[in-house]
Amino acid sequence: MSTADDLVTIWTAGVDAVIGRRAVCDALRQHNVMRPDAVIAVGKAAASMAAAAHDAFGPLPMLIVTKHGHVMDAPQNAEIIEAAHPVPDAQSLKAGARLIDAVDNMARDTHLLVLTSGGASALAEHLVDGLSLNDLADRTQALLASGQDIHAMNALRKDLSAIKGGKLLARFKGQRITSLAISDVEGDALGVIGSGIGDAPADAPFDFAPYIVASNAIARAAAADAAQGVILSNTEDLYDDAVALAPRIAAQVLAAGPGLHIKGGEPTVILPPNPGKGGRNMALALLLAREIAGIEGVQILVAGTDGTDGPTDAAGALVDGHTWDDSGSDALNTANAAPWLDARGALFRSGPTGTNVMDILIAKRT
Ligand SMILES: Nc1ncnc2c1ncn2[C@@H]1O[C@H](COP(=O)(O)OP(=O)(O)OP(=O)(O)O)[C@@H](O)[C@H]1O
Ligand SMILES: O=C(O)[C@H](O)CO
């Protein structure tokens, strides 16, 4: 097996350990979750998470809200709304209205199972008074280009929303909510994942049982287990601007001997006006390619665990000492890493994965 295959194999082992269907299936068993009366699933992993509920309990009233193209595992009886990501569209508002309608109409003895995963912030929305869809789309575009981290972005999103930050579940008049979430945020807080669409207000009158069922840490541990080589580091420290991260990561890898480094998190990027095509993983990969240019025996894979990096069809990229040439500077300045990396065979396409635990980087030095 080539080194490139090794990195993809290790990354894939990490992602496989946190697939929605598997994570929810394990959690339902571990926490002895009783059969719910209804299921609401929102996020990029919603279909996969909902499939586990169907596996465990059979057909149930189910509403799934997910990103276009991420419906592969959805149970047949489920109502499915596909919406845009990362910038909300009219479908996101349709999803928000349906979620409100569904929760409002639940009977007093209802046990509701809520399944949340990353992407939910964009995929479902009900606007506060005075805000239009265009306003929301413009504000979201500006936020995404600003280089702010997800905690800062979602604090703002909660203020603009009538369903985020516990507001959807505050409407519930039933008996019990079990809320299972796959975390794609630093610190794994339910109130931040999907801007807290699966969270309940502190004074909720119903029984509320929240659990985080998958995370970046779990995926990285599984990746480390699957690796043959020596693991030199396994850390969740990809939380900075990609421009600042690249030299730090390269220095760490080059200073260490042969072996593997695994990193998790979510780098940020500041986009120029009218950016080209790319994502934060591709931007980081391109910057790393420049750092390791001409050096033999180093390979780095960095990719989003949901299978899509920014508005592209690839998860990320795999670079080595031969990837970089000076035309890469232009791709960096115009945020156009996707076509540049694609032309060099460096893009990594996994397809939608059924999970979303931020990004994973694997660096190998031989
Ligand atoms: N041309 C580009 N080059 C680099 N990064 C880009 C480009 N276009 C968009 N991005 C970045 O892609 C990010 C959105 O990525 P993506 O669609 O993978 O969502 P995400 O952050 O994983 O979403 P969520 O957290 O909601 O699941 C934004 O932070 C944005 O800055
Ligand atoms: O949807 C969101 O808000 C992000 O993916 C974080 O969960």
Side-chain angles (χ1 to χ4, degrees):
M1 190 187 292
S2 75
T3 316
D5 287 337
D6 285 344
L7 295 191
V8 170
T9 303
I10 296 166
W11 185 93
T12 305
V15 168
D16 280 350
V18 290
I19 298 296
R21 194 169 193 160
R22 178 171 177 177
V24 170
C25 185
D26 289 351
L28 291 173
R29 203 175 308 120
Q30 187 189 342
H31 302 297
N32 262 324
V33 176
M34 303 300 285
R35 182 186 164 85
D37 302 296
V39 180
I40 283 175
V42 191
K44 290 183 195 167
S48 182
M49 294 177 84
H54 186 275
D55 294 343
F57 304 116
L60 287 165
M62 245 182 218
L63 173 58
I64 296 176
V65 177
T66 195
K67 179 173 172 169
H68 289 289
H70 286 238
V71 291
M72 61 278 181
D73 284 341
Q76 278 196 341
N77 64 315
E79 175 184 351
I80 302 171
I81 301 179
E82 292 177 73
H85 184 279
V87 179
D89 66 355
Q91 284 292 103
S92 312
L93 299 191
K94 179 177 166 190
R98 267 302 286 133
L99 285 167
I100 288 178
D101 187 54
V103 171
D104 282 359
N105 284 301
M106 283 173 186
R108 298 244 163 222
D109 58 353
T110 300
H111 170 204
L112 170 63
L113 177 61
V114 177
L115 306 171
T116 313
S117 53
S121 290
L123 297 169
E125 190 51 286
H126 192 75
L127 298 168
V128 289
D129 285 346
L131 200 75
S132 71
L133 177 58
N134 277 346
D135 295 335
L136 180 70
D138 289 349
R139 287 187 196 213
T140 306
Q141 287 279 20
L143 270 182
L144 292 174
S146 68
Q148 296 192 59
D149 69 24
I150 194 70
H151 291 79
M153 282 206 270
N154 284 1
L156 290 166
R157 281 165 156 168
K158 284 185 209 180
D159 286 344
L160 302 178
S161 172
I163 55 172
K164 309 268 163 68
K167 292 178 217 170
L168 176 67
L169 300 190
R171 309 173 73 101
F172 181 70
K173 293 179 204 70
Q175 208 163 58
R176 181 179 180 83
I177 294 181
T178 304
S179 186
L180 307 185
I182 294 180
S183 173
D184 69 333
V185 302
E186 182 181 14
D188 301 332
L190 186 61
V192 182
I193 301 164
S195 303
I197 199 166
D199 200 6
D203 59 352
F206 51 85
D207 294 332
F208 186 59
Y211 304 102
I212 301 295
V213 301
S215 66
N216 188 272
I218 294 172
R220 283 184 295 102
D225 277 350
Q228 312 261 310
V230 52
I231 309 290
L232 297 171
S233 69
N234 188 353
T235 48
E236 194 173 316
D237 55 2
L238 293 179
Y239 293 118
D240 203 345
D241 193 284
V243 174
L245 282 172
R248 286 212 296 271
I249 296 168
Q252 183 188 358
V253 172
L254 295 177
L260 288 155
H261 300 266
I262 302 175
K263 291 181 179 293
E266 198 167 79
T268 49
V269 288
I270 298 175
L271 297 180
N274 306 314
K277 264 261 182 284
R280 55 176 180 257
N281 291 278
M282 294 176 203
L284 180 57
L286 188 46
L287 288 156
L288 284 165
R290 184 172 66 183
E291 295 291 333
I292 61 170
I295 298 172
E296 294 296 333
V298 180
Q299 286 194 311
I300 305 176
L301 170 66
V302 56
T305 56
D306 57 15
T308 39
D309 187 29
T312 75
D313 69 345
L318 200 163
V319 296
D320 63 19
H322 301 276
T323 307
W324 177 261
D325 65 62
D326 285 346
S327 66
S329 300
D330 191 48
L332 278 174
N333 293 336
T334 55
N336 200 31
W340 193 92
L341 290 162
D342 204 14
R344 285 151 187 84
L347 283 187
F348 167 52
R349 291 184 171 86
S350 64
T353 57
T355 193
N356 183 7
V357 294
M358 300 185 281
D359 307 325
I360 292 182
L361 177 149
I362 304 173
K364 179 164 189 166
R365 179 130 201 237
T366 49

